[in-house]
Amino acid sequence: MLRTHTCGELRISDVNKQAILTGWVQRLRDKGSVLWIDLRDRYGITQLIFDESSTEATLMQAARQQGREYVLQVEGTVVERLSKNDKIATGDIELKVSKLTVLNPAKLPPFTIEDDTDGGDELRMKYRYLDLRRNPVRESLQLRHKMAQQTRAFLDSLNFIEVETPVLIKSTPEGARDFVVPSRMHNGEFYALPQSPQTFKQLLMVSG
């Protein structure tokens, strides 16, 4: 089993339960005898705790070798946090880890995966797949998704039909190919001639 809960799911009512989590390493704090790792997925953050008084030495050593954006699978017991964090939904608990598996190591990211990142626009666009892990970007995508769902539901209730116009002339290996035009700017290069969306709109209107 990959996981039993997400990193934003566990609450104080889950104390003493066994849980398996997977996610990215957000940050690591090593205080010597105690080590904490913030594990993140798209649903939230759960704090992991490793304590020398109750954690095996090999597991403590493995925990200290983790870095930012490492992908981990951890198994352990949900315990109540002594110092609670009211800024996150899982701030009343932490996971006392008994087993740690590195699913994928990672190089140090070129910028921090935080809400207020230290990466400029150009750097973030170069590493867009990392930028998409940040909460502000994810929340914008989720909001856009919900708006699109509501818009579609409203139009569907009025008997509108959504048509993806490319299906009207979708190319097949046996059919006609799109027009290819030689480029004047780049000798020996070609580009496909785009079709006009207005043509499709008129086609649908005339067809009723």
Side-chain angles (χ1 to χ4, degrees), residues 154-190:
F154 174 74
L155 292 174
D156 181 66
S157 70
L158 298 178
N159 292 323
F160 280 83
I161 299 174
E162 181 176 0
V163 179
E164 295 181 359
T165 52
V167 304
L168 299 176
I169 59 161
K170 188 173 182 180
S171 300
T172 63
E174 299 83 15
R177 298 181 180 275
D178 292 334
F179 287 104
V180 177
V181 182
S183 172
R184 295 180 180 178
M185 301 292 293
H186 306 283
N187 290 331
E189 300 290 336
F190 298 82

Side-chain angles (χ1 to χ4, degrees), residues 80-172:
E80 184 175 0
R81 284 177 64 160
L82 296 177
S83 178
K84 294 180 173 56
N85 183 355
D86 58 4
K87 295 181 180 179
I88 58 175
T90 60
D92 292 336
I93 58 93
E94 57 192 358
L95 191 74
K96 189 174 183 180
V97 179
S98 58
K99 182 179 179 181
L100 182 152
T101 304
V102 179
L103 299 181
N104 197 57
K107 295 180 180 179
L108 184 67
F111 57 88
T112 56
I113 314 299
E114 302 279 359
D115 291 1
D116 297 320
T117 183
D118 57 357
D121 289 346
E122 184 175 348
L123 184 62
R124 289 189 295 104
M125 292 305 103
K126 180 178 180 181
Y127 298 95
R128 185 60 163 160
Y129 56 92
L130 295 177
D131 186 52
L132 288 172
R133 297 179 185 178
R134 295 172 52 241
N135 283 329
V137 182
R138 176 183 54 78
E139 289 168 359
S140 295
L141 290 174
Q142 286 180 321
L143 177 60
R144 183 184 179 89
H145 161 74
K146 291 177 181 178
M147 291 177 62
Q149 290 292 315
Q150 292 297 317
T151 302
R152 285 186 168 92
F154 174 74
L155 292 174
D156 181 66
S157 70
L158 298 178
N159 292 323
F160 280 83
I161 299 174
E162 181 176 0
V163 179
E164 295 181 359
T165 52
V167 304
L168 299 176
I169 59 161
K170 188 173 182 180
S171 300
T172 63

Side-chain angles (χ1 to χ4, degrees), residues 6-19:
T6 69
C7 291
E9 185 177 352
L10 294 170
R11 298 291 187 271
I12 193 69
S13 58
D14 297 308
V15 167
N16 295 326
K17 286 184 180 179
Q18 292 294 115

Side-chain angles (χ1 to χ4, degrees), residues 43-76:
Y43 303 98
I45 291 177
T46 296
Q47 180 172 280
L48 314 178
I49 184 170
F50 302 82
D51 191 337
E52 284 187 349
S53 63
S54 56
T55 302
E56 294 181 3
T58 54
L59 184 56
M60 287 291 296
Q61 183 179 2
R64 287 194 168 98
Q65 294 174 350
Q66 306 311 306
R68 281 180 175 264
E69 298 307 296
Y70 272 50
V71 184
L72 306 183
Q73 180 189 56
V74 293
E75 182 175 350

